[in-house]
């Protein structure tokens, strides 16, 4: 027999047959607009033929290109900074944040480490001495944390945030204050003497035990040191701060403690304090004036009597403040302790993170398991660790998901017949999609798009589902090639039939993700762009490389080799079947007749007279393959033999035998083609579907009104973890947020004092702002500054009235009187800076409560240098910072009288506390109120903006729904234009868009019924679902329209609902693959082997009338069926 010609080569005189789909479309409907689609399909047909001819080269170059792009993952950057992930670039918040960083630097003033204590029995009161002692145990354990790094030991006293350390000229006192100055710890324990145990500083004086806050009485210490040093200024400073006896004058939680000081109110009575009464109104640090911790910062779940008296609480909270990495670096830069380790800001950050992690660990382990209370600890490093853990790629999870899809694809496409099995194609397709996903992500890394948790945890599986859809579609179309298609055209025919659908759905998916990039959240914008790039790479791989895989598999089937194990020949390829005459006599037609013009080297037929099988060798024949085998064209391909024909007859006989197996028909394709599609075409079914989906649409519109905005951090952190328990307790009991009202440069602060006071008043009147206690002054630098000036003015008036201060001397006056003297003579004029005549003609604060403009910046310098505790309590954060100036009452030289004026302010802030922010509506209301207050201040010439986490992360909700609606509308318009251009049917395109819009509304409504809140993440999913929905609508619409325009374009045609049947067959399997993606095998076990034993075809017989007329003559004469023996 003659040698088989190479499978991928076409004869030199080969021309595309007249029966291709594109010409058929033109022949079936001679409408001019169809030319564009026919031309596009013609290009796809040519592309498929060229890929089949050079499949090896295409596969090699494709794998090489995708592999090179995948190497870009080596330069990928994973972003975990919350500000970079959630603040829109170029937005109002982004500009304000940038301004803050330019003036204050990259870091915040401090970081917070929190302990929350709750009872194990929900609702139990924690305002008991026993509960407070357990809280002390946990807080004390956490405060004693030490970490060893770089050969040094780091404890809380070294790294904590200390505000308002005064500048003292006396060196001994300055060193003692530096060692003793307490850390800022906001704790309910500060209402008791035990709060001093959390402070770790100590100092040493000869003849005294180590001085610690547990035994330090500042008043007594100053009396003892008075004879040895001049401490009048320091004494006045402590008196202004209302330090008093500090901690030793407060009650002891445990009066039986041997170290409880005798000055404690309950030392002698030995009675436990009334905790609720002591905590009523909040607690104080060592300074009663400047360090007041309000109840809302310390207690959660409070209950009060009708008279407002505190009765009980359900939670306690302590907050430890640490320095920022930059502050810690600056604090120890040049210090003897770090001179030998190459101290850097990065090392400072490492020290802080290590201490924070150890803090959380020890605090959570501080109480025994059987304790009645439980401790929840959290730090900023914990949040960073959560984001880092979510952003890391889980190799096991990704590998497991892809292995499941590999198994699903392989098992689904396996057949018992090697000529029909496509298991290797399924494996290669999934691996190709994996490579395409890696190459797409590598390309994103090369383009500089940062990765985040959504990229690493979601995108690999989403891209797998999208890519596998097209793999199933192409494989199904390739296996369902029309009978009579030449082998050289199989791939071209496949792309011609499915290429438009794959192209349209891929373009729609890319458009969907590009539209989702309109969401004003950098993390999700990056995710959308990366998804669009990955979908593009999937599209290129499916349309260029995967067809080469199909072509190679076609060669494998042509050579009769096993599927998957392609190195081994199929057993059926060497099998010879003896056909009895009686069996042939039962046939209704000649064996192996085909209407395919081909060279046949051996042909077997039945001789009715002799009852024998006769093999003849005609030169050419016009053969019609059996209609039940879609691969018959391969078996009757050029280079066939008698063995091929006998094998064909045996396959036909096996199909007849297996036709009775019911399990052979239980496949998704069979169900879609023979049950689902005919059912949908029934009038009753149509009516039921329309009524049901109309009702669903109505319910969805109703459910859409229930959708709320928001995304709590508890929804992101895994449930059951300690972090989730802390966040849940914090959200329930301590929904407080520190914010600031920032005033910028560009206006004169000295002349805008009234507008600043009005701005503060408007902001303070907001519903969410926590008002200060009636006994405490407002927490703004302008109030502190004005009150301090009024205080020294009163001291000057007393000294002037008593004669201790005169026009020419202030040495006999008080420290404050001397300061006021120096300020009153300032003129603000560089040429004549002093005017002593102003001592009695002017005031530091006028009758309207305003500082004279010419004195404003000079007095600011004096206040910042002379009242560090007041400055720290105000949290002003001036920029540029006023110059340092030391006051010496006994220096009467002219230089000491000249006070340098501070530079005009470009940055200052008023701190506030927001409370009651539980729902997103509360945040939005607070943000809108704050923005409105700043807008009103802007009309008065004051440039200001709010700052803080609520404005940083919840600002997006102000326009989130508008962005969502805009993205969906643009996407639907783009989908309509693309579909109308490709389908050339505006009505079909409009129907597709209508279905997509209804689907989006239904999904949005279902969110309301399920209680899913609307945030940036669901918005991206909803927008992407529109593009994904195109997969299920465009494919069916395209096939149905082609069937309507030209039924013979879809081969084999069906007498009724042929387009819908052919369109639904691959759609259901690919839909099933997408929904399951990584759980496919668990939810869809492999079908029974019997389903793949040559399933019988229920298609109507192939009609010669539906086959284009063949050309050429045939030397074979059909003798008709063999008669039965008589």
């Amino acid at each position: 027999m003659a040698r088989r010609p190479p499978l991928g080569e076409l004869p030199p005189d080969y021309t595309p047959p007249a029966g291709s789909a594109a010409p058929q479309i033109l022949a079936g409907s001679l409408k001019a607009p169809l030319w564009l689609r026919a031309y596009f399909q013609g290009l796809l047909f040519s592309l498929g033929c060229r890929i089949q001819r050079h499949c090896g080269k295409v596969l090699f170059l494709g794998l090489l290109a995708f592999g090179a792009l995948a190497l870009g993952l080596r330069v990928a950057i994973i972003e975990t900074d919350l500000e970079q992930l959630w603040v829109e670039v170029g937005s109002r918040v982004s500009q304000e944040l940038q301004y803050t960083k330019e003036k204050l630097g990259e870091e915040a003033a401090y970081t917070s480490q929190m302990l929350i204590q709750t009872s194990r029995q929900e609702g139990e009161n924690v305002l008991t001495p026993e509960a407070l002692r357990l809280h002390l145990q946990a807080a004390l354990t956490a405060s004693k944390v030490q970490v060893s790094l770089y050969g040094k030991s780091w404890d809380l006293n070294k790294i904590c945030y200390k505000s308002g350390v005064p500048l003292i000229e006396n060196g001994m006192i300055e060193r003692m204050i530096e060692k003793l100055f307490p850390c800022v710890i906001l704790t309910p324990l500060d209402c008791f003497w035990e709060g001093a145990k959390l402070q770790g500083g100590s100092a040493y004086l000869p003849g005294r035990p180590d001085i610690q806050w547990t035994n330090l009485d500042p008043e007594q210490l100053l009396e003892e040191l008075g004879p040895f040093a001049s401490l009048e200024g320091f004494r006045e400073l402590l008196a202004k701060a209302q330090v008093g006896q500090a901690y030793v004058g407060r009650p002891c939680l445990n009066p039986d403690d041997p170290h409880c000081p005798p000055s404690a109110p309950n030392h002698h009575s030995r009675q436990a304090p009334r905790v609720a009464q002591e905590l009523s109104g909040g607690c104080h640090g060592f300074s009663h004036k400047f360090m007041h911790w309000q109840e809302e910062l310390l207690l959660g779940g409070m209950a009060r009597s009708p008279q407002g008296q505190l009765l009980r609480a359900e939670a306690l909270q302590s907050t430890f403040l640490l320095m920022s990495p930059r502050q810690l670096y600056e604090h120890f830069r040049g210090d003897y302790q770090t001179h030998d380790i190459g101290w850097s800001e990065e090392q400072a950050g490492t020290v802080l993170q290590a201490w924070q992690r150890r803090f959380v660990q020890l605090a959570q382990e501080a109480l025994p398991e059987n304790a009645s209370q439980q401790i929840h600890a959290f730090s900023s490093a914990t949040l960073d660790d959560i984001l880092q853990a979510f952003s890391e790629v889980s190799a096991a999870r990704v590998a497991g998901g892809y292995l499941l899809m590999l198994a699903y694809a392989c098992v689904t496409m396996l057949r018992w017949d090697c000529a029909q099995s496509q298991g290797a194609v399924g494996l290669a397709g999934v691996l190709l999609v994996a490579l395409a996903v890696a190459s797409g992500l590598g390309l994103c890394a090369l383009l500089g798009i940062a990765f985040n948790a959504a990229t690493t945890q979601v995108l690999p599986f989403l891209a797998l589902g999208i890519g596998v859809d097209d793999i199933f579609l192409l494989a199904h179309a390739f296996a369902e090639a029309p009978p009579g298609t030449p082998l050289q055209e199989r791939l071209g025919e496949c792309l011609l039939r499915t290429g438009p659908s794959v192209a349209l759905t891929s373009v729609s998916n890319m458009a969907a993700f590009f539209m989702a990039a309109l969401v004003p959240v950098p993390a999700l914008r990056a995710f959308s762009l990366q998804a669009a790039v990955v979908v593009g790479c999937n599209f290129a791989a499916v349309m260029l490389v995967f067809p080469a895989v199909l072509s190679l598999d076609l060669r494998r089937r042509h050579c009769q080799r096993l599927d998957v194990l392609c190195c081994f020949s199929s057993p059926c390829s060497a099998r010879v079947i003896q056909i009895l005459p009686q069996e042939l006599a039962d046939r209704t037609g000649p064996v192996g007749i085909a209407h395919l013009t081909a060279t046949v080297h051996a042909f077997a037929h039945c001789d009715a007279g002799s009852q024998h099988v006769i093999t003849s060798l005609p030169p050419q024949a016009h053969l019609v393959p059996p209609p039940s085998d879609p691969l018959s064209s391969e078996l009757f391909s050029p280079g066939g033999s008698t063995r091929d024909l006998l094998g064909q007859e045996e396959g036909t006989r096996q199909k007849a035998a297996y036709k009775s197996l019911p399990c052979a028909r239980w496949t998704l394709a069979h169900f879609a083609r023979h049950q689902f599609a005919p059912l949908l075409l029934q009038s009753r079914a149509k009516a039921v579907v329309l009524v049901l989906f109309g009702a669903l649409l109505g319910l969805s519109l109703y459910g859409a009104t229930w959708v709320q905005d928001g995304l709590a951090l508890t929804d992101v952190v895994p449930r059951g973890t300690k972090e989730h328990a802390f966040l849940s307790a914090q959200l329930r009991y301590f929904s407080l947020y520190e914010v600031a009202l920032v005033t910028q440069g560009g206006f004169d602060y000295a002349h805008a004092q009234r507008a600043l006071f009005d701005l503060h008043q408007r902001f303070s009147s907001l519903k969410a702002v926590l008002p200060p206690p009636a006994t405490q002054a407002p927490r703004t630098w302008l109030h502190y500054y004005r009150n301090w000036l009024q205080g020294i003015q009163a001291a000057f008036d007393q000294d002037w009235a008593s004669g201790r201060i005169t026009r020419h001397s202030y040495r006999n006056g008080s420290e404050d009187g001397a300061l006021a003297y120096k300020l009153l003579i300032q003129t603000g004029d560089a040429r004549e800076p002093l005017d002593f005549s102003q001592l009695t003609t002017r005031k530091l604060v006028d009758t309207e409560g305003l500082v004279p403009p010419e004195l404003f910046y000079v007095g600011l310098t004096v206040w910042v240098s002379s009242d560090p505790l007041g400055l720290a309590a105000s949290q002003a954060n001036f920029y540029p910072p006023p110059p340092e100036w030391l006051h010496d009452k006994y220096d009467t030289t002219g230089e000491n009288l000249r006070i340098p004026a501070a530079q005009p302010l470009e940055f200052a802030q008023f701190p506030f506390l927001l409370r009651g922010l539980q729902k997103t509506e509360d945040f939005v209301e607070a943000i809108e109120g704050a923005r409105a207050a700043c807008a009103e201040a802007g009309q008065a010439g004051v440039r200001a903006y709010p700052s803080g986490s609520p404005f940083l992360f919840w600002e997006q909700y102000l326009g989130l729904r508008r962005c969502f609606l805009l993205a969906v509308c643009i996407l639907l318009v783009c989908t309509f234009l693309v579909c109308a251009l490709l389908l050339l049917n505006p009505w079909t395109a409009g129907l597709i868009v209508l279905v997509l819009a209804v689907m989006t509304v239904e999904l949005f409504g279902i969110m309301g019924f399920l209680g899913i809140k609307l945030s940036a993440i669901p918005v991206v999913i909803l927008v992407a679902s529109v593009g994904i929905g195109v997969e299920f609508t465009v494919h069916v619409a395209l096939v149905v329209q082609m069937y309507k325009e030209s039924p013979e374009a879809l081969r084999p045609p069906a007498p009724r609902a042929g387009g819908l049947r052919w369109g639904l067959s691959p759609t259901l399997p690919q839909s099933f693959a997408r929904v399951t993606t990584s759980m496919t095998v668990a939810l869809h076990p492999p079908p029974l082997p019997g389903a793949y034993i040559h399933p019988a075809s229920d298609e109507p017989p192939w009609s010669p009338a539906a086959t284009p007329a063949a050309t050429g003559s045939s030397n074979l004469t059909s003798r008709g069926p063999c008669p039965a023996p008589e």
Side-chain angles (χ1 to χ4, degrees), residues 761-1082:
Q761 181 61 34
R762 282 193 294 269
F763 205 94
S764 300
S765 62
L766 296 179
K767 175 183 176 181
V769 173
L770 178 65
T775 58
Q776 182 183 359
R779 300 175 59 194
T780 66
W781 67 267
L782 200 54
H783 290 88
Y784 281 114
Y785 178 33
R786 183 183 65 179
N787 295 343
W788 179 81
L789 288 177
Q790 291 174 338
I792 65 173
Q793 178 71 59
F796 172 82
D797 292 341
Q798 291 180 359
D799 291 343
W800 183 271
S802 62
R804 289 192 296 269
I805 293 182
T806 64
R807 178 183 177 91
H808 303 290
S809 175
Y810 56 81
R811 294 186 61 180
N812 296 327
S814 62
E815 291 286 340
D816 287 350
L819 279 175
Y821 179 95
K822 295 180 179 180
L823 282 175
L824 287 170
I825 63 177
Q826 304 297 319
T827 64
D829 188 354
R831 293 173 296 179
E832 298 181 2
L834 305 178
D835 185 358
F836 292 91
S837 63
Q838 299 180 146
L839 286 172
T840 56
T841 60
R842 70 185 304 185
K843 296 291 184 181
L844 297 179
V845 180
D846 61 20
T847 57
E848 297 182 359
L850 304 179
V851 182
E854 66 276 6
L855 190 62
F856 184 85
Y857 286 108
V858 177
L860 195 63
T861 298
V862 179
W863 175 61
V864 168
S865 301
S866 304
D867 189 19
L869 292 177
L871 175 65
S874 70
Q875 302 179 33
N877 287 332
F878 291 130
Y879 182 86
E884 292 186 0
W885 178 79
L886 292 178
H887 164 62
D888 186 0
K889 187 177 69 170
Y890 301 100
D891 186 357
T892 58
T893 61
E895 290 299 326
N896 188 258
L897 294 178
R898 294 184 177 89
I899 303 175
Q903 299 182 32
L905 294 177
E906 298 178 10
F907 185 95
Q909 63 182 19
F910 300 154
F912 292 93
L913 283 175
L914 300 184
R915 63 175 178 179
L917 302 182
Q918 296 286 345
K919 301 179 180 179
T920 303
E921 292 80 2
D922 302 330
F923 287 95
V924 172
E925 181 182 357
I927 293 172
E928 291 177 344
R931 292 294 182 183
C934 293
E936 292 180 11
Q939 298 177 359
V942 176
R943 300 177 57 193
Y945 62 86
S947 176
S949 58
F951 307 98
L952 196 64
F953 303 116
W954 276 270
E955 180 92 7
Q956 56 178 295
Y957 292 103
L958 295 179
L960 183 62
R961 297 200 177 212
R962 178 184 58 82
C963 292
F964 168 58
L965 183 61
L966 177 63
V968 171
C969 291
I970 294 177
L971 177 57
L972 291 178
V973 171
C974 293
T975 303
F976 175 81
L977 295 177
V978 173
C979 293
L981 180 63
L982 184 60
L983 300 178
L984 297 173
N985 191 329
W987 295 106
T988 303
L991 182 61
I992 292 173
V993 171
L994 177 62
V995 172
L996 295 176
V998 170
M999 179 191 67
T1000 305
V1001 173
E1002 291 173 349
L1003 289 175
F1004 194 79
I1006 291 175
M1007 287 177 54
F1009 287 116
L1010 296 179
I1012 301 175
K1013 296 181 179 179
L1014 183 68
S1015 64
I1017 296 176
V1019 164
V1020 170
I1021 295 175
L1022 286 172
V1023 175
S1025 67
V1026 178
I1028 295 174
V1030 175
E1031 296 268 359
F1032 309 115
T1033 54
V1034 171
H1035 176 67
V1036 176
L1038 180 62
V1039 174
V1040 172
Q1041 183 182 350
M1042 292 175 62
Y1043 179 79
K1044 288 181 178 180
E1045 294 170 351
S1046 182
E1048 59 272 15
L1050 299 178
R1051 297 172 291 178
R1056 185 168 180 260
L1060 188 61
R1061 288 188 177 188
W1062 195 91
L1064 288 177
S1065 297
T1067 301
L1068 285 184
Q1070 71 182 33
S1071 305
F1072 190 78
R1074 164 165 296 180
V1075 171
T1076 57
T1077 305
S1078 60
M1079 299 297 298
T1080 307
V1081 174

Side-chain angles (χ1 to χ4, degrees), residues 393-476:
V393 180
S394 176
R397 185 181 305 170
V398 174
Y402 277 73
L403 286 176
L404 286 176
M405 184 54 70
L406 278 172
Y408 173 78
C410 181
V411 172
T412 303
M413 302 177 73
L414 277 175
R415 299 293 186 273
W416 287 106
D417 184 4
C418 63
Q420 296 183 359
S421 182
Q422 292 181 301
V425 170
L427 292 176
V430 175
L431 293 176
L432 180 61
V433 170
L435 180 61
V437 172
S439 64
L441 294 177
L443 179 59
C444 293
L446 294 176
L447 294 176
I449 304 176
F451 288 23
N452 53 66
T455 304
T456 57
Q457 301 295 330
V458 178
L459 188 55
F461 302 101
L462 177 63
L464 174 63
I466 294 175
V468 170
D469 281 354
D470 297 332
I471 294 296
F472 277 112
L473 185 61
L474 283 175
H476 177 272

Side-chain angles (χ1 to χ4, degrees), residues 597 620-622 1109-1115:
T597 301
Q620 284 186 339
H622 195 64
T1111 58
S1113 60
S1114 174
N1115 294 331

Side-chain angles (χ1 to χ4, degrees), residues 155-174:
D155 58 12
L156 177 63
N157 195 52
K158 287 184 178 180
I159 65 176
C160 70
Y161 176 75
K162 300 179 180 181
S163 65
V165 181
L167 298 176
I168 306 297
E169 294 183 355
N170 188 297
M172 179 187 67
I173 300 298
E174 182 180 8

